[in-house]
Amino acid sequence: MQEIVDRITAEDEAAGIARTLLFPYLNHAATMFESGYATKADIDAAMRFGCGYPIGPLDLVDALGASTVAEGLAHLHERTGDQLHVPAPLLARLAVSSSTFAEEASAGAAAEEPVSHHPVAKVGVVGTGTMASGIVEVFAKAGHDVVFVGRTDEKAAAVQARVEKNLDRAIAKGKLDEAGKSAVIDRLTAATEREALGDVDIVVEAIAEDLDIKLELFRDLDRICKPGAILATTTSSLSIAECAAVTSRPADVIGMHFFNPAPVMKLVEVVSADGTSPEVADTVKTLCLDIGKHPVSCGDRAGFIVNALLFPYLNDAVRLHESGVPMGDIDDAMKATKLPMGPFELLDVVGNDVSLAIQTTLVEAFGHEGWTPAATLQKVVAEGKLGRKTGEGFHTY
Ligand code: CAA
């Protein structure tokens, strides 16, 4: 921890880059906590388990000292005039009183352990992309029977192949044996008809991030799934309430936002809409723990915790590059603060099209002009340089 603090507060150019990108992110985390959107524990856990950060943002403010962050932001604000760089009121207060977010949080009620209210044995997954494949793998490895539905046999076969490839990788590393692989594979059932989801206890959908497409699916799931089945969406930016509203069971509709790569990242944001029943939220949180994930709770608002904190930082990195700082220097400066990837490396993993769509949704939802998607992000998307998936993004692969 001290190593990270020393790196961020050093006098060199890399530390200057880190402060320019980290301080607005820390400020936003402070605002999010102050608004009551999520608890300190969940905000910190979200960035650690969703993005592999060594420390959550509010713990990082405490480690750096609120006054260090508030002064850094004030300097940044002098340069940029951006309202987003004005220290959040709570951060400013902590800076003056030399107190911490940990002390602020301990004044609140302690979180209770979730309990399951519905048995969840059989799981359905809809979708055949990277996220859907990862989610199928996670549930099957945790011992659940999984029915996954693709639009064609070829797409369903691709899910099976991706899961098998990951299991083979685990065998090659000595972390799994052939019997273990067979047991996981035996729990999988591929289907091309949604009717196959009639007897599952929960459906997790990871199809296209398009509201009309999701609404059509939710209407169908409502028709097909047995009473009491939980209907979960992995959306990162669409409204859970709108998905719930087209069903006859809005209390059973919830968000389960996994992170990329799903088999590795431990976080699931469990997103309750106003109509989601607390029992369903508790059941889903317990299920997350059962499959080895760390659930955090948040409300039905664009970006939830992680994307709202992460993507403005990634966008800021692109703008910093536009101002003349080489991409490699930015990636290196951030990795020196122990982030697992530099911002341009991560943009290429997530996909620049996905990142642009998320950033656009965040601007619409929050109205911060300072979050307007960077011109270069828009340009690489227009040129089809979407990241690793197209062989070229900010970096070439
Ligand atoms: N699928 C399955 N397993 C994978 C994998 C993949 N795509 N990539 C890596 N792994 C596994 C490896 O097999 C390895 O497993 P073991 O430890 O069991 O051997 C483990 O992950 C670590 O991998 P590596 O040692 O090869 O690589 P690493 O140490 O560099 O870690 C990483 C890779 C875990 C991805 C790490 O770089 C990281 O945490 N990056 C940050 C990723 C991130 O921020 N994700 C969130 C993006 S935002 C999002 O997803 C939300 C949205 O809505 C878009």
Side-chain angles (χ1 to χ4, degrees):
M1 166 94 79
Q2 193 52 45
E3 201 189 334
I4 297 172
V5 169
D6 291 345
R7 179 85 300 277
I8 295 171
T9 52
E11 291 297 326
D12 54 40
E13 203 178 318
I17 292 172
R19 288 192 293 272
T20 301
L21 295 180
L22 284 177
F23 284 2
Y25 148 75
L26 298 178
N27 202 30
H28 185 204
T31 304
M32 185 181 273
F33 171 69
E34 191 173 8
S35 73
Y37 177 69
T39 64
K40 172 184 175 293
D42 281 353
I43 292 172
D44 280 336
M47 296 312 289
R48 287 175 49 224
F49 296 121
C51 302
Y53 283 20
I55 179 172
L58 300 175
D59 277 337
L60 182 54
V61 174
D62 287 352
L64 288 161
S67 57
T68 304
V69 179
E71 279 164 28
L73 280 162
H75 286 140
L76 198 58
H77 181 247
E78 271 169 32
R79 261 195 2 242
T80 64
D82 188 335
Q83 276 307 304
L84 290 165
H85 299 157
V86 176
L90 176 57
L91 181 63
R93 247 188 0 258
L94 296 181
V96 171
S97 61
S98 301
S99 48
T100 61
F101 280 103
E103 285 159 349
E104 279 291 312
S106 65
E112 285 175 17
E113 282 293 307
V115 277
S116 185
H117 299 266
H118 308 247
V120 179
K122 194 167 179 182
V123 175
V125 175
V126 188
T128 51
T130 310
M131 290 309 289
S133 306
I135 293 165
V136 168
E137 179 181 331
V138 166
F139 279 110
K141 281 203 299 212
H144 290 276
D145 287 327
V146 185
V147 181
F148 57 97
V149 182
R151 278 174 293 174
T152 61
D153 286 327
E154 290 73 27
K155 284 178 189 276
V159 172
Q160 182 96 15
R162 266 184 235 127
V163 173
E164 288 192 24
K165 191 172 158 202
N166 275 346
L167 297 176
D168 286 337
R169 204 159 57 176
I171 291 176
K173 286 185 178 174
K175 297 190 169 181
L176 187 74
D177 57 19
E178 286 293 342
K181 176 183 168 186
S182 300
V184 174
I185 299 294
D186 287 348
R187 289 184 204 116
L188 303 181
T189 306
T192 52
E193 299 295 334
R194 290 177 186 164
E195 266 56 31
L197 300 170
D199 66 343
V200 301
D201 301 304
I202 184 170
V203 177
V204 181
E205 73 78 16
I207 62 168
E209 196 74 339
D210 175 308
L211 186 61
D212 289 336
I213 296 176
K214 299 254 197 233
L215 295 184
E216 186 273 327
L217 173 65
F218 272 86
R219 281 189 202 98
D220 225 17
L221 292 177
D222 189 36
R223 177 181 63 76
I224 292 165
C225 295
K226 67 184 182 189
I230 296 172
L231 308 183
T233 170
T234 59
T235 186
S236 60
S237 50
L238 301 173
S239 154
I240 315 296
E242 287 190 69
C243 295
V246 299
T247 73
S248 61
R249 50 175 112 187
D252 296 336
V253 177
I254 195 161
M256 266 185 105
H257 185 215
F258 287 79
F259 288 78
N260 190 359
V264 187
M265 307 316 287
K266 278 191 68 141
L267 185 71
V268 179
E269 287 173 322
V270 177
V271 189
S272 290
D274 285 346
T276 307
S277 87
E279 288 77 19
V280 165
D282 256 10
T283 301
V284 167
K285 279 187 254 174
T286 312
L287 177 65
C288 290
L289 293 171
D290 288 346
I291 60 174
K293 297 294 179 191
H294 185 105
V296 295
S297 305
C298 56
D300 188 13
R301 181 177 82 180
F304 310 137
I305 301 173
V306 171
N307 286 0
L309 295 177
L310 178 67
F311 286 86
Y313 146 76
L314 296 176
N315 196 51
D316 279 353
V318 181
R319 290 197 170 177
L320 187 61
H321 171 54
E322 286 169 353
S323 76
V325 184
M327 267 189 289
D329 289 5
I330 298 176
D331 277 343
D332 289 347
M334 299 320 293
K335 283 190 285 190
T337 71
K338 304 283 180 219
L339 301 194
M341 289 179 169
F344 295 97
E345 293 166 345
L346 183 56
L347 280 161
D348 283 349
V349 164
V350 170
N352 291 315
D353 51 340
V354 175
S355 300
L356 177 60
I358 292 174
Q359 189 64 16
T360 304
T361 313
L362 289 175
V363 175
E364 282 164 13
F366 289 82
H368 297 320
E369 216 177 291
W371 285 357
T372 303
T376 311
L377 180 60
Q378 305 196 44
K379 180 167 168 281
V380 289
V381 174
E383 291 169 350
K385 296 177 183 169
L386 305 185
R388 282 182 179 269
K389 61 188 171 187
T390 56
E392 191 177 358
F394 284 100
H395 297 293
T396 305
Y397 300 91

